[in-house]
């Protein structure tokens, strides 16, 4: 009986839902089949977020009790709880000012500052790589980086130097586009193979 | 009514399916294909053993992607590594730390880790907080994971799944402490930022080969071989179409 719920039913539900979605993509007139499934997926995703939030609080309450990184956990619990309460209250206001404030002045600004660090981190990582791994990959990385820097800098250069830069840029653009297409082709085939295995019950990530 | 793109898609899927089932038959009959070695999968074997010996955790990030929508296959590809490690974890009693930024992927990761314990009848040994959700947004997830990598007792950092440029932040945190790093991504931006720090990198399609390399069961070997055949067919088709285009242009001149 237990196996029906943990193995058979999830496999059948996945197969049927997958087949519906696939058919709706192939036959555009059957797109109406997809709408109820999207509704179900949205509800499941919403429940998952609630469970994830509870999980996050539980982990940090445990950390608070054990004393490891207690101050950070306390801050996280307080800020997460405050944000939840504020966002819930804000749903009943017309302009949702608090929500906008939290996103614009806390989340977006923090993310922007953090994103700006990435360039510095990347440069440091590249330097460390050149010092530690002096191989073909490091040499290629260095050459590619230098060529991109020289050719993509938005400076207008006239005359023969400008023509050479444009030619080099075009060559590297072609190489980059070809590489990107090759990469995407591999990913698309991998995606197709994974979807195929799930649809035909070869892989059952959702059941025992 | 089915349109031309739909028909082409259906035919491609049917050909891929027939090739895959044919290959499953041949491989099950004993004709196992040989694939080029991918160092990351070789290194991953026994990684959990080293984690037990050192008393430190193996961190596996399955990225920020969801299991719904276009990220599904890439997230599942990341979970293939978790699935392999979960079997080892249930046998050894030490589980890796799995992190994600998607709540639904968290549930799936937790279930993947738990399943081998159920199969072996040792569910009471399952460490319930092995799968973690540090944050729900990519940059915040990166920040939280950086903190974990810097302050947790981590043996190695494995990142395989959906990542954007924020992967560079996590990689930097692991690089700072000289942790061995293994990365895998489908997004070229993530690959570019992971390249300087990762000891081994799974580039695009290699991510999807995890099961074939780590578990080597006939359906997965067949799937990988079918992908190779499809890739060569597409490359040959592209070259033929290019030559036809070139010749037709030359004819017009």
């Amino acid at each position: 009986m237990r196996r029906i719920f943990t193995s058979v039913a999830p496999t059948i539900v996945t197969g049927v839902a997958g087949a519906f979605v696939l058919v709706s993509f192939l036959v555009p007139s059957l797109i109406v089949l997809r709408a109820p499934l999207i509704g179900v997926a949205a509800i499941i995703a919403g429940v998952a977020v609630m469970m994830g939030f509870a999980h996050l609080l539980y982990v940090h309450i445990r950390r608070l009790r054990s004393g490891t990184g207690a101050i950070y956990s306390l801050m996280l619990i307080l800020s997460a709880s405050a944000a939840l309460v504020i966002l819930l209250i804000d749903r009943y206001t017309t302009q949702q000012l608090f929500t906008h404030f939290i996103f614009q002045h806390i989340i977006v600004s923090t993310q922007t500052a953090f994103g700006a660090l990435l360039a510095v981190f990347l440069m440091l990582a590249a330097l460390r790589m050149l010092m530690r791994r002096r191989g073909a990959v490091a040499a290629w990385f260095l050459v590619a980086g230098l060529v991109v820097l020289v050719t993509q800098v938005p400076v207008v250069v006239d005359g023969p130097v400008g023509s050479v830069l444009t030619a080099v840029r075009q060559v590297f653009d072609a190489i980059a586009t070809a590489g990107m297409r090759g990469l995407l082709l591999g990913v698309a085939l991998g995606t197709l193979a994974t979807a195929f295995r799930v649809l035909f019950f070869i892989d059952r990530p959702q059941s025992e | 009514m089915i349109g031309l793109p739909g028909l082409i898609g259906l035919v491609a899927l049917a050909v891929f399916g027939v090739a895959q089932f044919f290959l499953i038959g041949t491989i099950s009959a004993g004709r196992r294909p040989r694939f080029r070695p991918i160092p990351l999968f070789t290194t991953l074997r026994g990684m959990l053993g080293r984690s037990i010996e050192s008393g430190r955790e193996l961190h596996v990030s399955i990225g920020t992607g969801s299991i719904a929508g276009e990220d599904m296959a890439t997230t599942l590809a990341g979970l293939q590594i978790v699935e392999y490690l979960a079997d080892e974890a249930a046998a050894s009693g030490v589980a890796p730390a799995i992190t994600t930024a998607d709540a639904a992927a968290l549930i799936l990761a937790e279930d993947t880790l738990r399943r081998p314990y159920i199969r072996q009848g040792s569910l009471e040994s399952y460490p319930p907080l092995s799968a973690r959700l540090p944050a729900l947004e990519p940059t915040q997830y990166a920040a939280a994971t950086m903190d974990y990598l810097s302050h947790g007792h981590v043996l190695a950092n494995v990142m395989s799944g959906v990542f954007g440029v924020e992967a560079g932040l996590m990689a930097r945190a692991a690089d700072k402490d000289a942790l061995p790093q293994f990365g895998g991504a489908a997004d070229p931006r993530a690959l570019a930022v992971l390249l300087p720090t990762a000891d081994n990198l799974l580039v695009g399609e290699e991510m999807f080969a995890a099961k074939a390399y780590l578990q080597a069961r006939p359906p997965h070997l067949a799937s990988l071989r079918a992908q190779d055949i499809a890739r060569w067919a597409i490359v040959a088709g592209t070259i033929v179409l290019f030559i036809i285009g070139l010749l037709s242009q030359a004819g017009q001149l």
Side-chain angles (χ1 to χ4, degrees), chain A residues 78-101:
Chain A
L78 290 176
S79 54
S81 307
L84 178 71
V85 171
I86 289 168
L87 295 182
L88 281 175
I89 293 169
D90 221 19
R91 285 188 70 83
Y92 297 99
T93 63
T94 49
Q95 291 185 314
Q96 301 190 332
L97 288 172
F98 288 118
T99 308
H100 286 298
F101 180 83

Side-chain angles (χ1 to χ4, degrees), chain B residues 40-84:
Chain B
L40 190 147
F41 296 130
T42 317
T43 318
L44 210 58
R45 290 176 194 277
M47 190 59 92
L48 219 53
R50 285 196 283 282
S51 167
I52 296 164
E53 283 167 13
S54 63
R56 294 193 289 170
E57 280 182 327
L58 174 64
H59 172 245
V60 182
S61 168
I62 57 168
T64 57
S66 174
I67 50 166
E70 59 188 23
D71 291 338
M72 182 273 284
T74 316
T75 306
L76 288 184
L79 270 171
Q80 290 175 7
I81 289 178
V82 176
E83 206 175 317
Y84 167 73

Side-chain angles (χ1 to χ4, degrees), chain A residues 26 29 48 55-56 62 111 114 121 128-129 132-133 141 180 183 186 190 192-194 196-197 202-203 205 207-208, chain B residues 6 10 13 17 80 103 108 115 129 131 133-134 137 139 169 175 188 195-196 198 203 205 211 219-220 223 227:
Chain A
L26 296 173
S29 56
H55 184 273
L56 186 72
R62 274 176 63 115
Q111 281 176 2
F114 211 50
F121 286 171
R128 275 174 72 108
M129 183 183 79
R132 278 189 312 184
R133 288 185 280 162
F141 185 81
M180 187 94 86
L183 185 74
L192 175 70
T194 307
F196 188 88
R197 291 202 305 263
I202 294 170
D203 277 359
S207 64
E208 280 176 17
Chain B
L10 198 61
L13 200 66
Q80 290 175 7
L108 195 59
R115 237 177 288 145
L129 295 176
L133 181 82
E137 197 277 333
T139 317
L169 298 167
D175 191 47
L195 180 71
V203 178
E205 71 210 49
K211 269 197 168 175
H220 301 113
S223 178
Q227 281 178 66

Side-chain angles (χ1 to χ4, degrees), chain B residues 4-248:
Chain B
L4 185 65
L7 196 66
I8 293 169
L10 198 61
V11 170
L13 200 66
V15 171
F16 189 82
V18 169
Q20 177 143 346
F21 282 116
F22 173 74
L23 286 164
I24 291 174
T26 10
I27 292 166
S28 302
R31 292 180 62 186
R32 293 175 87 83
R34 291 178 70 85
F35 297 106
R36 68 188 164 87
I38 296 180
L40 190 147
F41 296 130
T42 317
T43 318
L44 210 58
R45 290 176 194 277
M47 190 59 92
L48 219 53
R50 285 196 283 282
S51 167
I52 296 164
E53 283 167 13
S54 63
R56 294 193 289 170
E57 280 182 327
L58 174 64
H59 172 245
V60 182
S61 168
I62 57 168
T64 57
S66 174
I67 50 166
E70 59 188 23
D71 291 338
M72 182 273 284
T74 316
T75 306
L76 288 184
L79 270 171
Q80 290 175 7
I81 289 178
V82 176
E83 206 175 317
Y84 167 73
L85 292 171
D87 284 328
E88 279 197 357
S92 64
V94 173
I98 315 295
T99 61
T100 174
D102 182 75
L106 172 80
I107 296 171
L108 195 59
E110 204 163 358
D111 191 50
T112 306
L113 265 180
R114 202 167 50 94
R115 237 177 288 145
Y117 287 86
I118 297 171
R119 275 202 299 271
Q120 294 183 12
S122 57
L123 190 58
E124 67 286 348
S125 320
Y126 169 69
L129 295 176
S130 296
R132 298 165 200 174
L133 181 82
L136 285 160
E137 197 277 333
T139 317
Q140 291 159 13
Y141 167 70
T145 309
M146 282 173 82
D147 178 60
Y148 166 69
L149 289 169
S150 301
H151 299 111
H153 297 285
V154 183
L155 171 74
N157 181 34
V158 182
M159 297 196 288
S160 181
V162 178
F163 293 100
V165 286
E166 77 284 343
L169 298 167
M170 291 185 273
R172 167 64 190 152
D175 191 47
K176 193 163 59 74
D177 295 330
L179 297 178
Q181 293 211 66
F182 310 99
D187 188 333
R189 295 171 306 160
L191 288 169
V193 297
L194 285 174
L195 180 71
T197 49
D199 296 290
N200 292 120
L201 196 61
L202 294 175
V203 178
E205 71 210 49
E206 291 175 342
M207 278 180 70
F208 299 92
K211 269 197 168 175
Y213 276 82
L214 294 170
Q215 297 178 350
R217 291 184 187 138
H220 301 113
L221 294 172
S223 178
L224 194 56
R225 183 52 88 212
Q227 281 178 66
D228 285 344
I229 294 168
R231 186 179 306 105
W232 282 114
I234 292 169
V235 169
T238 309
I239 292 170
V240 168
L241 286 173
F242 171 72
I243 292 169
I244 291 172
L246 215 61
L247 289 175
S248 66

Side-chain angles (χ1 to χ4, degrees), chain A residues 19-77:
Chain A
F20 271 136
V21 174
L22 179 67
V23 169
S24 74
F25 272 105
L26 296 173
V27 185
S29 56
L30 295 177
I31 205 161
V32 282
L33 290 174
R34 223 187 303 165
L37 290 174
I38 291 169
V40 172
I43 292 169
I44 293 171
V47 173
V49 169
M50 281 168 60
M51 287 171 69
F53 187 76
H55 184 273
L56 186 72
L57 290 183
Y58 176 66
V59 168
H60 285 277
I61 287 167
R62 274 176 63 115
R63 280 185 61 173
L64 199 62
R65 281 181 184 161
S66 69
T68 48
I71 188 77
Y72 297 114
S73 293
L74 182 66
M75 280 173 68
L76 185 135
I77 292 165

